[in-house]
Structures are given as C-alpha cells and as structure tokens.
Amino acid sequence: MDQPPVHVLDLNPDDLQSHLVELFGPEIPSYRAKQIFEWVYRHRIHNFAEMTNLPRSIKELLDLHFCIYASSVVQNRPSNDGTRKLLLRWPDGATSECVLIPTEDRRTACLSAQVGCPVQCVFCASGVGGLDRNLTTGQIVEQALRLIDLCPDETKLTNIVFMGIGEPLANYDAVIGAIRILHAPWGMGLGARRLTVSTIGLPQPIRKLAQEGLPINLAWSLHAPNDTLRRQLIPWAAKIPLDEVIDACRYFFETTGREVTLEYLVLDGVNHRPEHAEQLARIASAIRANVNLIPYNPVAGLGFARPDDAVVMQFEQRLRRLGVNVHVRHSRGLDIDAACGQLRRQNQNPRS
Ligand code: SAH
C-alpha cells in the first residue's frame, strides 16, 4: 500500500466516520466510529480483530487502511520508586519518551509534545540536539494510551502533564487537539483540571489557550526571575521580556479563573540568592501564582549541579516570609533518567 495507514488516535468521531464513509460507502452505520473509539479508549483494545461487534469484512479493511498504535516500544524502564518510563519509536525513526508517575491516589502521565526541543534551555537535556519535528495529535494521545497499558486493568490515568520533551505551546494545534481527545467523553474523559500544560512562557499561545474554553492548568517554567539571568539560562526567551509573559499569565488567570503555577528549578549557585527570592515573589504576586521549587536533576556535561537540601529549604523559607505560597517538589525516577530528555539523549548517543 502506498499511503501510510490513517492514525485513528489523530481523529475525532466525525473525522473517523467520514473516513469510514469514504472507504465503505454511505451505507455504513453512523455508530461505527463511536464503537471503535469505545474499544480503544474504554476497553483498551488496540487491534481491530478483537472488536467483536464489528463485522469481519469491515475489520479486514480497517486493518489495511488504519492503525491504532503507530509506535513500537523501544525501552520500558521501571524505577525503584514506581515511576515507569517508555521510549517509543515512530515509523520515521523519531523517538519520544513518556513517563508514568504513580502515587497512592494518582496515576500521572508525563507526555512529550515534540521530538527534541527548540527552546534549548542551557541546563536541560531535551534541547541539546535542537528540534527534530513536532509530534502529531495522535502521537501525543498514543503516549497516554501506552502508559495506561502499564497500569492494572480497570485503572485509569488520573492526571496528564505536558512536561516531557518539547515546548507544548510551540506545537499548539497538535497539543490542543490531543487535549480535546484526552478530555472528551468519547475519548479518555479526563477533567480539564486534571490536565496541565507546562511552558517556557509564550505570550500569544498563552492568550489563545485562555480562550479555548478549557479550564486546564498552566505551569510556567520561570527558573530566572529577571531578564538578565533569563537570557543566560533560556537564550530562546531573549526576545520575550518577562513582563510580556507576566501579562499573558495574568490574562490566563482572569479569563479562565485558573491559577498559574510557577515552576522554579533551583540550580546550585545560580538562581537562589536573596534578590532572586524578592524578584520571584514580585512575579508570583503579580499573577497570584503558586511556586514549585524543583531541585535540579543533574545532566552530565551541562555544567549545573543540584543544590544541597538546606540551600533549597532556605530559599523556600525566604519566599514564604515574602508571602509566597511555595512548595518543594522532588523529581521522581532519578534512577531511570526521568528528567526531561535524558533517556532519549542516551539512546541517540550512548557515550553521552
Ligand atoms: N518546555 C516546557 C515543558 C517541558 S520541561 C517547559 O519548559 O515547561 C518540564 C520541566 O522540567 C520544565 O520546567 C523544565 O525546565 C524542567 N527540567 C528540565 N531539565 C530538568 C532537570 N535536569 N532537572 C529537573 N527539571 C528539569
């Protein structure tokens, strides 16, 4: 067959039904698309042969023209703390990583939005090779399904965060398409409040996201509380002054009623001085944001170190005295390289 199969996970029921009409003619019942999605999202069936309420003739043609899973699992690494990380390979050879983070009451999936990352923060493994390409909506959704497959039957993902590789708001249409499927009752059915997009801070897409009518969570990876330090740590953001991002976040909060979270990586000796606390507190108060402090998970060769716990605690206390609602979050899966981009990078260059 010349044409690659259509990726079912890219589609909504109307799109799939149109494809079915094209293939089987207008006499195909209008409920077929919904039936297929029920198998995929509710019963976790990922091949047409097992869809027992579809006629065999239909299943055979579906098999020829469509696929449900497009990736193969290249690595499946369990961590000592229960975190599981998958490395998926797509038909074009590109790879993506995604992580399942189970806790007592949650199963959180951390998804990638792109292959590589255009932002190239100087401390992050994801951006080391730059951007290879965007992921499609179906490829983003597939990561979530692959992670559910790791969970016992009848359990579901409770939360999804776009904190894997890539900048979600630089692949806006595919990411919002995936969010709609993850949220839809015919899809994964997750409440909007259980979905979080993490961004380096792109003002226009943040404003657009605010208007989607989806009260999802927005996390801004701030890391530097003044423009000078920001230019050093996140050179890509040099053309976007902090004030523009602050205005966009304020707009997001006012439009959606959802608080923005500030993610602040603590890099040893770089961004935890008293004046940084004061600058960070001013930003947090301007957008009424909570702050998550994340001790850096060191990446070999990038030249940054993890601060001592006491240093992080001191910075946290200083922020708290300045009226900030602040928490320290520890990255999990340290033993399986669960920080952004580490597994994919290892696979690209085994010596790095
Ligand atoms: N591009 C988006 C989402 C991906 S990164 C963003 O920047 O928000 C998800 C979070 O992990 C970001 O806050 C990122 O800065 C952080 N991160 C990157 N490398 C890390 C590391 N080595 N240790 C801990 N957090 C890291």
Side-chain angles (χ1 to χ4, degrees):
M1 205 170 53
D2 295 344
Q3 280 203 329
V6 176
H7 197 185
V8 170
L9 306 182
D10 252 325
L11 309 174
N12 64 35
D14 288 344
D15 299 334
L16 178 56
Q17 192 65 27
S18 315
H19 279 283
L20 295 177
V21 167
E22 220 171 90
L23 196 62
F24 297 102
E27 60 279 8
I28 179 121
S30 59
Y31 51 79
R32 284 287 181 236
K34 287 221 175 74
Q35 274 181 322
I36 294 173
F37 282 126
E38 225 162 82
W39 284 112
V40 171
Y41 292 110
R42 192 158 319 150
H43 305 299
R44 300 198 208 162
I45 293 296
H46 302 124
N47 58 71
F48 296 111
E50 287 179 60
M51 299 183 178
T52 47
N53 57 1
L54 299 183
R56 181 184 298 179
S57 55
I58 288 192
K59 289 197 266 199
E60 280 166 8
L61 260 191
L62 286 174
D63 240 350
L64 276 180
H65 295 272
F66 293 88
C67 70
I68 298 170
Y69 276 171
S71 68
S72 49
V73 178
V74 196
Q75 269 195 47
N76 175 352
R77 295 178 74 177
S79 153
N80 294 335
D81 64 9
T83 306
R84 292 276 286 272
K85 181 157 185 163
L86 293 180
L87 186 69
L88 306 180
R89 177 168 291 129
W90 304 105
D92 66 351
T95 53
S96 323
E97 52 185 68
C98 49
V99 186
L100 177 72
I101 309 158
T103 55
E104 253 166 49
D105 54 343
R106 292 179 178 201
R107 278 165 305 280
T108 302
C110 175
L111 308 183
S112 292
Q114 297 181 303
V115 179
C117 184
V119 179
Q120 301 189 290
C121 300
V122 295
F123 49 80
C124 177
S126 298
V128 168
L131 177 71
D132 285 351
R133 68 168 174 82
N134 280 326
L135 288 173
T136 62
T137 288
Q139 290 167 343
I140 295 169
V141 173
E142 183 161 331
Q143 296 174 57
L145 286 178
R146 289 279 193 194
L147 291 172
I148 301 182
D149 289 348
L150 303 175
C151 301
D153 282 350
E154 305 305 322
T155 54
K156 290 182 172 169
L157 294 179
T158 59
N159 298 78
I160 292 186
V161 297
F162 284 86
M163 293 187 182
I165 296 183
E167 168 48 46
L169 295 186
N171 184 18
Y172 189 91
D173 291 344
V175 168
I176 202 73
I179 286 174
R180 290 202 179 281
I181 294 173
L182 299 169
H183 177 56
W186 55 264
M188 220 168 268
L190 267 134
R193 281 154 203 254
R194 295 178 172 273
L195 299 164
T196 301
V197 167
S198 177
T199 177
I200 203 62
L202 306 184
Q204 284 316 319
I206 289 175
R207 288 170 186 272
K208 203 168 159 193
L209 190 62
Q211 292 162 355
E212 295 284 351
L214 283 164
I216 59 172
N217 305 305
L218 182 69
W220 174 17
S221 293
L222 180 63
H223 310 328
N226 64 65
D227 281 313
T228 312
L229 183 59
R230 189 163 140 88
R231 271 193 292 274
Q232 288 163 17
L233 296 180
I234 312 166
W236 205 66
K239 292 200 194 83
I240 313 169
L242 277 171
D243 281 345
E244 278 183 32
V245 189
I246 291 169
D247 282 349
C249 287
R250 204 184 285 133
Y251 177 80
F252 185 90
F253 173 66
E254 283 161 6
T255 312
T256 63
R258 304 291 295 149
E259 271 173 18
V260 177
T261 303
L262 295 178
E263 303 285 329
Y264 197 93
L265 210 56
V266 190
L267 298 156
D268 192 36
V270 175
N271 61 351
H272 50 78
R273 287 206 298 268
E275 67 263 32
H276 295 139
E278 277 154 31
Q279 293 159 348
L280 174 52
R282 271 200 294 278
I283 297 174
S285 121
I287 55 181
R288 300 222 249 149
N290 300 315
V291 173
N292 283 341
L293 297 181
I294 308 151
Y296 182 60
N297 189 7
V299 178
L302 296 190
F304 292 93
R306 185 187 188 84
D308 287 341
D309 287 350
V311 167
V312 178
M313 211 188 291
Q314 206 181 23
F315 192 60
E316 180 194 20
Q317 278 160 2
R318 195 178 286 279
L319 285 165
R320 200 157 280 152
R321 282 199 297 276
L322 291 165
V324 179
N325 184 6
V326 57
H327 295 96
V328 178
R329 308 278 183 211
H330 284 275
S331 8
R332 299 184 64 205
L334 286 181
D335 57 329
I336 54 166
D337 298 318
C340 273
Q342 293 186 3
L343 184 61
R344 179 172 168 271
R345 184 167 172 237
Q346 257 181 17
N347 263 261
Q348 284 171 323
N349 177 2
R351 279 177 304 258
S352 68

